[in-house]
Amino acid sequence: MKTFVFDIGETLVRDDRYWGSWADWLGTPRHTLSALVGAVTAQGLDNSEALKLVKPGIDISAEYAAREAAGRGEHLDESDLYEDARPALAKLRHLGMRVVVAGNQTLRAGELLRALDLPADLVATSEEWGCAKPSAEFFAQVLEASGAPAGDTVYIGDHPANDTFPAARAGLRTAHIRRGPWGHLWGADDQVHATADWVIQSLTELTTIAGK
């Protein structure tokens, strides 16, 4: 392996703050929105559909801008990272691997992630690239950012439909992490195990994969 590319939400970063802040903004209990996010995603829908259930007719882009203007917009700090994220990325770089962070996130999220000074060679988001998972265009960008052949590039993520399956279709090696709602929901799925090269419990396991 030469390059490891990481999804962001529920792979490197907990989504608790993100959805909790949306629930607070919309005036709904956090548990309610969290449950709705799980329900729509299990139905194969984008998780933003949960916001439309809480507030029918919502203009998500306008609400996002209003939150930012009110000083209640996106925020990320060290406490949002999973405990193994920074050590795993640092160890991979120490082993000579190229480390890329690339997921479905906003421009603002990209800025916040780069401000954390992660041990990564590149941090990019779907909004910055102008394409999002699970599109083939996104994974073409991943391969360009990788700087290595698809067979020497591992994409790590928690969501089969957004991460494991499309990355495998693009020819990349894949690691499904059993983390967060989607990682656990599909962690024992037969198709996930048949498609993923590895199913892992922690990012620290990637250092072993790096030697293969």
Side-chain angles (χ1 to χ4, degrees), residues 10-55:
E10 292 304 332
T11 296
L12 296 177
V13 175
R14 295 180 181 84
D15 282 343
D16 306 49
R17 187 198 298 269
Y18 179 82
W19 290 112
S21 65
W22 266 113
D24 295 345
W25 177 258
L26 296 176
T28 195
R30 290 187 171 199
H31 175 69
T32 297
L33 182 56
S34 179
L36 288 172
V37 169
V40 299
T41 307
Q43 293 171 16
L45 303 173
D46 188 85
N47 52 26
S48 65
E49 292 296 316
L51 301 177
K52 299 176 184 178
L53 293 174
V54 172
K55 186 177 179 179

Side-chain angles (χ1 to χ4, degrees), residues 6 9 20-22 48 60 67 69 76-77 88 90 95-96 98 105 109 116 143 149 155 171 173 176-177 179 187:
F6 292 83
S21 65
W22 266 113
S48 65
I60 295 175
R67 286 184 55 194
L76 282 173
D77 61 32
L95 292 172
R98 178 169 170 80
Q105 298 285 344
L116 292 178
L143 273 174
Y155 193 85
R173 308 293 294 277
H176 173 82
I177 186 164
R179 166 173 290 174

Side-chain angles (χ1 to χ4, degrees), residues 149-187:
D152 293 332
T153 302
V154 183
Y155 193 85
I156 305 99
D158 65 301
H159 196 304
N162 280 350
D163 303 324
T164 310
F165 299 154
R169 286 195 296 269
L172 282 75
R173 308 293 294 277
T174 60
H176 173 82
I177 186 164
R178 296 191 67 167
R179 166 173 290 174
W182 330 133
H184 287 295
L185 179 63
W186 287 297

Side-chain angles (χ1 to χ4, degrees), residues 117-173:
D117 194 25
L118 294 169
D121 297 284
L122 175 70
V123 174
T125 68
S126 57
E127 190 170 2
E128 291 169 338
W129 278 352
C131 54
K133 296 182 293 184
S135 72
E137 291 80 8
F138 181 90
F139 287 97
Q141 290 275 19
V142 166
L143 273 174
E144 184 175 340
S146 165
D152 293 332
T153 302
V154 183
Y155 193 85
I156 305 99
D158 65 301
H159 196 304
N162 280 350
D163 303 324
T164 310
F165 299 154
R169 286 195 296 269
L172 282 75
R173 308 293 294 277

Side-chain angles (χ1 to χ4, degrees), residues 1-2 4 6 12 83-99 118-121 202-211:
M1 299 301 104
K2 296 180 179 178
F4 286 75
F6 292 83
L12 296 177
E83 290 79 1
D84 59 357
R86 188 177 291 277
L89 270 59
K91 180 62 174 178
L92 288 170
R93 291 189 81 191
H94 178 73
L95 292 172
M97 302 294 113
R98 178 169 170 80
V99 173
L118 294 169
D121 297 284
S202 168
L203 297 178
T204 58
E205 296 174 52
L206 296 173
T207 56
T208 300
I209 295 170

